[in-house]
Amino acid sequence: MFEKIKSLINEIDGFTPNVKDELEQFRVQYLGKKGVLGDLFAQMKEVAAEDRKEFGRLVNELKNKAEEKVNLFREKFEEQPADTSAVGDLTLPGVSKAPGSFHPITIVRNEINRIFSRIGFNVSDGPEVEDDWHNFSALNFPPEHPARDMQDTFFINLDPDKEHYNGQLALRTHTSSVQIRVLDNEKPPVRTICPGRVYRNEAISARAHCFFHQVEGFYIDEGVSFADLKQTLLYFAQEMFGADTKIRLRPSYFPFTEPSAEMDISCTICKGEGCNVCKHTGWVEILGCGMIDPAVLENCKIDSKKYTGFAFGMGIERITMLKYTVKDLRIFSENDVRFLRHFQGVN
Ligand code: PHE
């Protein structure tokens, strides 16, 4: 008799229901009116007087264990709001998953990479924390040259005890530093683009931010000419903005290119008719460019008599704003999903 009850207790201990129904069956089997417990209580009268105490103790143990099980699993099943297991309601509609999307800056960067890779450019990378040599000196900015003021720089203070630390490290102000990084390791012919983040100490507004993204591009070989630069940029503009896009080059100045130019494209919004975006000129500026200054080549130990090269640098935010008619560049770093959702499915 005692053995029988003990084996029932073991059975209860080992019981784990998978679904609610199984637990209910268990409850009825053990605790229900005509269940195991009821039978045992009914047998009580027949138990010999000297065994009654032990019998009662075991029956109580069985009762407690069964109740504990029921309570424990009842809570667990209650926590699961809907039964999604295989035995649940298969006719319920599925739970749809919202896929993420690429950030518009990533989308446009990838597109720029693809456009240039089709004409033989590879992709290079450089650090965002730069030294003075790579960001300025090797690019022909002499010390105290007023051109250094063109870029308000975030310097990194490595010596906290020095109040006005003017050390060697800064957040790069342009991706032109990667020209020097690449030429540290590679010799011409070199044909590469370098996308990346850059930093300038500017007041944040609809048109300027303290960080943004650029793509640098450059090509160095024997006999590279300004005509190659112009054709490469025309190809890029038409691939990015459509075959009817026109370009124009205006003379400009950068310490690391000579001659230098800024490139405008015909306004993507009004197609040159005149609108707010192009300030009624029909043209919008998208990049700076020029022939790499021979002094820069020499700084990188490249024979400037033998090799020539062109370089260009563009802001990815600017390209993205024109391509998707975005009016305020602050929205790119706000992570507002209502904005980002527009780009679902684009890569
Ligand atoms: N580095 C320049 C800028 O940030 C752009 C540039 C790149 C101009 C390469 C000429 C050649 O404004």
Side-chain angles (χ1 to χ4, degrees):
M1 172 61 91
F2 292 162
E3 285 315 306
K4 175 93 201 308
I5 304 177
K6 279 182 193 158
S7 89
L8 284 169
I9 291 176
N10 280 342
E11 237 169 66
I12 293 173
D13 278 340
F15 173 74
T16 8
N18 291 317
V19 287
K20 222 173 167 177
D21 286 352
E22 236 178 287
L23 181 68
E24 182 56 16
Q25 263 175 25
F26 168 88
R27 193 190 62 78
V28 172
Q29 185 190 340
Y30 285 93
L31 304 169
K33 270 195 192 128
K34 293 179 185 150
V36 170
L37 207 65
D39 286 352
L40 287 170
F41 277 126
Q43 286 168 31
M44 189 78 116
K45 294 189 247 45
E46 290 142 37
V47 178
E50 67 268 29
D51 289 338
R52 220 167 262 169
K53 198 170 164 206
E54 178 63 2
F55 183 87
R57 195 190 62 74
L58 283 173
V59 171
N60 258 332
E61 187 182 335
L62 185 144
K63 177 170 174 267
N64 290 340
K65 289 229 157 142
E67 280 174 354
E68 264 171 38
K69 265 279 141 101
V70 170
N71 290 338
L72 177 77
F73 281 97
R74 194 171 272 164
E75 266 172 42
K76 279 205 176 145
F77 289 129
E78 233 89 283
E79 274 168 24
Q80 295 175 1
D83 188 2
T84 51
S85 65
V87 292
D89 185 351
L90 296 177
T91 64
L92 285 172
V95 182
S96 66
K97 289 200 175 108
S101 59
F102 283 111
H103 191 282
I105 297 296
T106 308
I107 293 168
V108 171
R109 185 203 61 198
N110 290 349
E111 180 65 15
I112 295 171
N113 287 355
R114 281 194 291 262
I115 290 172
F116 281 104
S117 75
R118 290 203 284 276
I119 53 170
F121 282 74
N122 63 7
V123 176
S124 304
D125 198 11
E128 291 181 18
V129 176
E130 259 308 358
D131 52 36
D132 177 89
W133 172 254
H134 290 87
N135 197 75
F136 292 123
S137 297
L139 287 162
N140 214 24
F141 292 78
E144 313 303 329
H145 190 288
R148 285 188 192 233
D149 294 337
M150 277 165 59
Q151 325 217 0
D152 279 349
T153 308
F154 286 117
F155 286 99
I156 292 175
N157 193 347
L158 290 176
D159 185 349
D161 295 335
K162 266 193 195 159
E163 203 187 331
H164 299 293
Y165 181 79
N166 188 18
Q168 300 297 303
L169 291 186
L171 297 179
R172 68 179 175 198
T173 56
H174 54 181
T175 44
S176 298
S177 55
V178 189
Q179 289 186 33
I180 311 302
R181 287 275 160 200
V182 170
L183 296 175
D184 282 346
N185 302 314
E186 288 175 47
K187 293 300 157 218
V190 180
R191 187 160 39 180
T192 191
I193 55 168
C194 332
R197 187 176 280 181
V198 301
Y199 301 83
R200 289 183 198 175
N201 193 357
E202 291 199 49
I204 296 170
S205 72
R207 298 171 62 87
H209 211 295
C210 58
F211 72 84
F212 55 100
H213 300 79
Q214 286 190 329
V215 178
E216 192 81 6
F218 66 101
Y219 174 33
I220 305 171
D221 201 349
E222 288 179 49
V224 174
S225 73
F226 202 94
D228 296 321
L229 171 62
K230 190 176 172 188
Q231 190 56 37
T232 303
L233 294 178
L234 176 64
Y235 158 80
F236 166 73
Q238 296 191 336
E239 290 291 301
M240 183 52 101
F241 294 106
D244 56 347
T245 309
K246 295 183 188 61
I247 64 166
R248 79 175 181 188
L249 291 160
R250 286 177 289 102
S252 186
Y253 172 76
F254 299 101
F256 38 93
T257 46
E258 182 59 36
S260 304
E262 272 162 329
M263 187 177 92
D264 299 339
I265 57 167
S266 49
C267 181
T268 52
I269 311 295
C270 63
K271 303 282 169 217
E273 294 287 305
C275 69
N276 281 340
V277 172
C278 61
K279 299 203 193 78
H280 299 280
T281 62
W283 297 95
V284 280
E285 185 203 317
I286 63 160
L287 56 81
C289 61
M291 298 306 291
I292 298 175
D293 194 302
V296 174
L297 296 176
E298 294 296 335
N299 283 339
C300 300
K301 307 206 165 35
I302 291 166
D303 183 353
S304 63
K305 301 237 160 39
K306 190 169 173 205
Y307 293 105
T308 52
F310 66 67
F312 56 87
M314 64 182 100
I316 305 184
E317 276 80 354
R318 182 125 187 87
I319 306 284
T320 311
M321 288 168 91
L322 289 170
K323 198 163 167 75
Y324 294 108
T325 328
V326 177
K327 295 260 165 64
D328 188 327
L329 72 70
R330 286 171 289 199
I331 200 166
F332 291 128
S333 47
E334 278 166 2
N335 280 340
D336 185 333
V337 289
R338 290 168 302 179
F339 170 66
L340 298 173
R341 254 189 217 127
H342 288 286
F343 300 92
Q344 233 163 36
V346 190
N347 55 30

